[in-house]
Each structure stands twice: as C-alpha cells, then as structure tokens.
Amino acid sequence: MSNIIQDIDIIDRNSQEAMETVKTSKEENTGKTKKLYIESYGCQMNFADSEIVTSIMKENGYDTTSDFENADVVFLNTCSIREKAEQTVRNRLNHFNSVKKTKPEMTIGVLGCMAERLKEKLLEEERIVDVVVGPDAYRDLPKLVESAEDGLKAVNTFLSREETYADISPVRLNSNGVTAFISIMRGCDNMCSFCVVPFTRGRERSRDPFSIVKEAQDLFNNGYKEVTLLGQNVDSYKWSADENNKAWLEKKEKKGEEVEVINFANLLEMVAKVSPELRVRFSTSHPKDITDDVLHTMKKYENICKYIHLPAQSGNSRVLDLMNRTYTREWYINRVDAIRDILGEECGISSDMIAGFCTETEEEHKETITLMDYVKYDFSYMFFYSERPGTLAAKKFEDDIPLEVKKRRLQEIINKQQEISLQRNKLDVGKVHKVLIEGTSKRSEEQLQGRNTANKVIIFPRGNHQKGEYVNVLVNDCTAATLFGEVVE
C-alpha cells in the first residue's frame, strides 16, 4: 500500500470509474481523411469534455484512432489538480517526441486545466507542443490546428462566462453503451484555498435544462440505461430563460424580485421523468449547497440512485475554514443527518479527504477520523495535500506538514476507510439488490458486473444475462471494495 501512495499520491476505491484515470479515443474509420488521437486524464468532467472535442473535430474532417502513431493530430486533455498529474502529462509528451521526429507534420495539442494554468508558458517549456487550449475554447480547435499545420503555434485560454457547449452532441468515447455522462454546468465559484479549478475552469455557468433533458432522452433512445449529471458543484445549478448568470439571478432574488428559476432539484426531476428505466446519478455535491429539496426529489423517484458524493475534505472546523470550504463540521454532520433521515441508512455516501493540510495538528487530523466513524462512508477518494501554484493556500499559508507526516496521516485515513467500507458492505450481504449490468468482470469473462443504487460494484455469474439488463442479485459475500452474489428471480 505504501508503494501505491508513493507512486500516485492517491488511493481511490477499487471500482472501474475510480481506477480509470486515463481514457483514449477509439478506432474509427468512416472514410475521413485525417485521424485524431485524444488521451484524457483526471476527472469525469475531462472525459466528458473529450467527447465534446471529438464531436467538434469529427465535424471538421477527422476520424478517431486508438493508436497515436497513426494520428495526424494528438490531444492530451489534462488535469492540474496535483503536481503528479501534470508530471504525468510531461512524461507522456516525452514519449510522443520520438514519434514526432519521424512524423514532423503531426500536430500535438495540450487541452484542459493544465493548458489553462500554464498558457503560453507551456509552449516554452514543452517545445513539442503546437497548440494550447483551455476548457472554454474548444470550438476554436479546428482553426488553431490549421494554424499549427501552417507552422504557427497557437494558444487560446480565454475563459468564458457563457460557454456551456449545450448545442454540441458529444461523441461517446470508450462507451460501454449503457452508462454516459451529461455535463450540466461548467466552472466553479467556490474558492477553496487548495483548489485550482476556479482558475482553470472559470466562473460557474448552468446549461439550458431542456438541452440536458434532450440529451438524456437521446441516450435512452439509443439504448443507454444510466446517465450521470456532471458539474463541479451540481447543487448550485441555477438557470433562467431571462438571464443565465448566477450572480445576476441571486442579486434579483435578494431584492425580492420574482425570477423563474430552474434549480438542481427541478432539473433532477426533469431528467428522472425521461423514463423510469433510465437511472440518474449526479456528481459532485457541495455540503454548503445540498438541499432537502434535492433529497426529497431523490426519494420520490426510484430511478434516481440513492448515492451522494459529498466531499468533506477535513473533519475539523478550523481546517475547513482555512480551506475556505464555507461550512463547519457541525454543518456537514447536519447534512449527513438529513440524508440519513430522508433517504435512509442504505443511501451510499462517499467523500474526498485531504491529509496534512497547512498547519493541521494531530488532534485536528483525529477529527477527520472521528467524522469518518460518524458518517460511515461507503468509500472515499483520499489524498495528502499537494500545494498548487496560484491557489489561495499557496499564497497565504506555509505548506508546513512534513511529507512523512502527510503520508502517515493518509495511511491512517485509508485504514479507517477500509475498515468502514467492509462494515458497510457486510450490511448488504443477505440482501437482494437491483443491478444494472455494465459488462464483464475484469476477473473473468464468465462473470458480469454492475452497480446497485448506492453505487457499489456487484459481481455475479454470467448465466444468460446481457449488458444493459436490470437483474436482481442476492449478495452472499463481500470485500471492502466489492459485493458478490447470484441472480435471483
């Protein structure tokens, strides 16, 4: 375990979507003259963005390829959340270097958060790069690639207050044909002191809800059985036909003026009504914004999955204040209590935890452990603190916790989560769960896997069942990461 921490600075739960931190384009040949290879790193939002980028490039004469050596254009859609993530991209660029020497006409572009953070500096530091494009400038990609092909390196890292790509139909990459992401908003207005996202993805913008419902309907019509609504903070989704500007809307509301607004609870209901056979998930929630209305909407519709990713980051109020999370330990516990009261003990809850934030004491670290004991998370994404240039924490606080202390505290958090995950999974043994089959198990072609409403992976014998079916599975065994069972009628 310590070797894993050393290698990647993070321990995720042992599930498919958590472990897939890199995705590549698929092989396609529709007769177009040029080939695009795209490699995506980091969060689900990045993977969804790569599907938008692919759609834009396909409209401009590109098929996709799964082999970068066959590509005319190579894009790396990057993450900037930790230094390790950026170093991974730099190492990958070095790998492409040898190919570009034999194929100098190949265009290489860096997209996403790393591109937005470094801007023109990336062209100076990585001379192999021809194009640098931020998350709000993807419509400009064909023109920028054309400029690079003419020998002029190109940069567009303009951050928009309006762009949501609502009119672009994503091309599903590496799709299992069962589950899909739908981006419902872009950007983030929460200035958490440790986070680069507000600087790399810009201000918050909510997408037209009717385009979201249409995308969900189209996916269902094409055989998909589950959608995940994506946003940096889905609970702050707020859209009005009058003005798609959150600050303006909130100003009007404070003045007592009537504005017809669709909030996240409303949107969730609209998508749930597409079909009772279409499962709906969402990510990520912010503890300061998740409302009882959202919880009651989840309870009302069986097809809205009973699972909430509710990142705590720390269990201590002083540390939370330094992180600028804008809630206390007590507030967070109140939200957890509301989840349990409205949705029951079976509702899955997961978290993000940061070990060793600036000035964190041993007692404050222990409060994170006791919060975990109280909430009983089904799983967590666990990190030690990595200072990011340009963030409020980097400007205001000294990164004063020694690395060995960070790693030890992280290990204690991991150990606690493994203990709790096993306890939680044991509660599912002997119960029947409705499972959406997503494909074969990584362990054996003779086993299938899917998830229950609480987002837990369940593995069971194939029998005569197929991907995309709903089945009832009696769970008879478990580990801390996975449930095992048999299909029952």
Side-chain angles (χ1 to χ4, degrees):
M1 185 66 74
S2 61
N3 289 337
I4 297 175
I5 297 172
Q6 182 177 353
D7 287 345
I8 59 175
D9 298 351
I10 174 175
I11 299 296
D12 287 349
R13 68 177 179 127
N14 185 23
S15 71
Q16 184 174 352
E17 68 270 27
M19 299 304 288
E20 284 182 343
T21 54
V22 182
K23 287 188 178 181
T24 60
S25 49
K26 63 183 178 181
E27 194 65 37
E28 178 187 57
N29 189 3
T30 65
K32 292 178 180 174
T33 57
K34 294 183 178 180
K35 288 284 189 179
L36 167 70
Y37 175 83
I38 184 165
E39 204 164 87
S40 312
Y41 295 82
C43 68
Q44 293 172 335
M45 288 293 294
N46 264 14
F47 300 150
D49 276 1
S50 290
E51 296 180 338
I52 289 169
V53 167
T54 302
S55 180
I56 291 168
M57 296 302 287
K58 280 176 66 68
E59 287 294 314
N60 286 271
Y62 287 82
D63 276 337
T64 54
T65 178
S66 59
D67 184 352
F68 68 84
E69 293 189 9
N70 295 331
D72 299 286
V73 174
V74 171
F75 288 151
L76 296 184
N77 193 359
T78 61
C79 174
S80 198
I81 198 72
R82 300 185 319 281
E83 183 181 354
K84 183 75 176 179
E86 291 193 0
Q87 190 55 51
T88 298
V89 171
R90 293 185 189 274
N91 292 342
R92 193 65 172 137
L93 288 171
N94 287 337
H95 189 71
F96 291 148
N97 219 353
S98 59
V99 179
K100 185 151 184 177
K101 283 178 181 177
T102 61
K103 195 176 179 181
E105 70 277 11
M106 176 188 282
T107 299
I108 294 182
V110 175
L111 318 181
C113 292
M114 183 177 174
E116 188 66 46
R117 192 181 78 79
L118 293 173
K119 300 180 171 60
E120 292 87 351
K121 189 178 178 184
L122 191 53
L123 294 179
E124 300 167 11
E125 295 175 349
E126 303 291 346
R127 297 193 178 278
I128 188 177
V129 175
D130 303 299
V131 174
V132 176
V133 184
D136 289 347
Y138 294 147
R139 291 182 194 270
D140 208 22
L141 274 169
K143 185 176 73 175
L144 297 174
V145 168
E146 188 176 324
S147 173
E149 289 172 343
D150 291 337
L152 297 174
K153 296 200 174 194
V155 178
N156 187 343
T157 53
F158 174 76
L159 285 175
S160 167
R161 287 192 175 225
E162 289 83 34
E163 182 62 85
T164 63
Y165 301 110
D167 60 316
I168 294 176
S169 179
V171 173
R172 305 298 166 181
L173 298 173
N174 305 117
S175 172
N176 60 11
V178 178
T179 64
F181 299 135
I182 298 179
S183 178
I184 68 168
M185 59 197 301
R186 299 186 71 81
C188 184
D189 287 348
N190 297 311
M191 297 297 291
C192 299
S193 64
F194 54 82
C195 187
V196 298
V197 168
F199 307 104
T200 60
R201 287 192 166 268
R203 300 300 298 271
E204 218 168 77
R205 294 141 279 156
S206 295
R207 179 178 162 189
D208 176 349
F210 303 103
S211 73
I212 294 168
V213 172
K214 181 180 183 304
E215 186 173 339
Q217 183 68 64
D218 289 346
L219 285 164
F220 182 70
N221 293 345
N222 284 306
Y224 286 81
K225 294 293 183 66
E226 179 182 294
V227 294
T228 299
L229 308 180
L230 291 181
Q232 303 299 147
N233 176 14
V234 292
D235 295 294
S236 65
Y237 178 93
K238 188 174 287 188
W239 183 90
S240 170
D242 298 324
E243 179 77 29
N244 188 18
N245 183 303
K246 182 184 169 189
W248 181 88
L249 290 172
E250 289 179 347
K251 189 175 181 181
K252 288 270 190 182
E253 288 171 344
K254 283 179 182 177
K255 287 181 177 179
E257 298 179 25
E258 282 196 22
V259 184
E260 189 173 339
V261 169
I262 293 177
N263 62 24
F264 184 59
N266 304 142
L267 176 67
L268 202 53
E269 183 166 42
M270 291 167 69
V271 177
K273 286 181 175 179
V274 166
S275 170
E277 292 297 302
L278 180 69
R279 272 187 171 178
V280 183
R281 299 187 187 273
F282 56 88
S283 186
T284 295
S285 292
H286 195 293
K288 75 176 174 62
D289 292 318
I290 190 167
T291 65
D292 286 0
D293 285 345
V294 168
L295 302 180
H296 285 297
T297 302
M298 292 175 70
K299 182 177 182 179
K300 182 178 177 181
Y301 293 91
E302 188 270 339
N303 60 322
I304 301 178
C305 292
K306 307 307 183 278
Y307 160 72
I308 298 171
H309 184 56
L310 195 70
Q313 308 297 358
S314 171
N316 173 263
S317 293
R318 186 190 75 87
V319 174
L320 288 169
D321 184 52
L322 290 179
M323 291 177 168
N324 198 34
R325 291 291 287 172
T326 68
Y327 57 84
T328 62
R329 176 188 175 97
E330 291 70 31
W331 174 276
Y332 187 92
I333 287 173
N334 170 272
R335 293 292 78 209
V336 171
D337 289 345
I339 292 168
R340 297 300 186 207
D341 289 345
I342 296 169
L343 296 175
E345 291 297 321
E346 296 80 14
C347 180
I349 304 178
S350 60
S351 184
D352 296 344
M353 291 297 185
I354 297 176
F357 190 71
C358 311
T359 74
E360 181 189 62
T361 67
E362 282 299 319
E363 286 304 311
E364 288 166 341
H365 163 64
K366 287 176 183 175
E367 285 198 61
T368 295
I369 301 294
T370 59
L371 180 68
M372 296 172 74
D373 278 324
Y374 183 88
V375 179
K376 300 194 183 306
Y377 298 108
D378 293 273
F379 57 89
S380 292
Y381 300 92
M382 298 163 279
F383 313 75
F384 59 70
Y385 175 62
S386 171
E387 183 179 88
R388 306 304 295 126
T391 58
L392 297 177
K395 293 174 182 177
K396 292 174 63 176
F397 310 129
E398 181 185 355
D399 184 9
D400 59 348
I401 307 299
L403 182 59
E404 60 270 20
V405 175
K406 290 181 182 179
K407 287 187 175 184
R408 190 255 303 159
R409 290 179 185 174
L410 175 59
Q411 188 63 63
E412 290 174 4
I413 290 172
I414 291 166
N415 291 344
K416 175 56 68 173
Q417 184 58 62
Q418 288 180 327
E419 172 192 322
I420 295 171
S421 292
L422 184 59
Q423 289 173 5
R424 289 283 293 175
N425 281 355
K426 282 181 176 179
L427 296 175
D428 291 321
V429 175
K431 296 179 181 177
V432 175
H433 300 258
K434 184 178 180 180
V435 176
L436 174 61
I437 303 174
E438 297 178 19
T440 56
S441 165
K442 291 182 179 180
R443 301 181 181 191
S444 169
E445 289 290 320
E446 296 307 310
Q447 293 179 318
L448 296 174
Q449 74 171 35
R451 286 175 294 164
N452 66 3
T453 186
N455 207 31
K456 295 184 181 183
V457 174
I458 303 181
I459 294 174
F460 51 93
R462 173 186 287 276
N464 295 318
H465 301 287
Q466 302 293 326
K467 182 171 67 173
E469 289 181 24
Y470 287 106
V471 291
N472 292 318
V473 178
L474 174 63
V475 171
N476 53 35
D477 198 5
C478 72
T479 66
T482 311
L483 302 176
F484 302 91
E486 303 276 344
V487 176
V488 295
E489 296 302 326

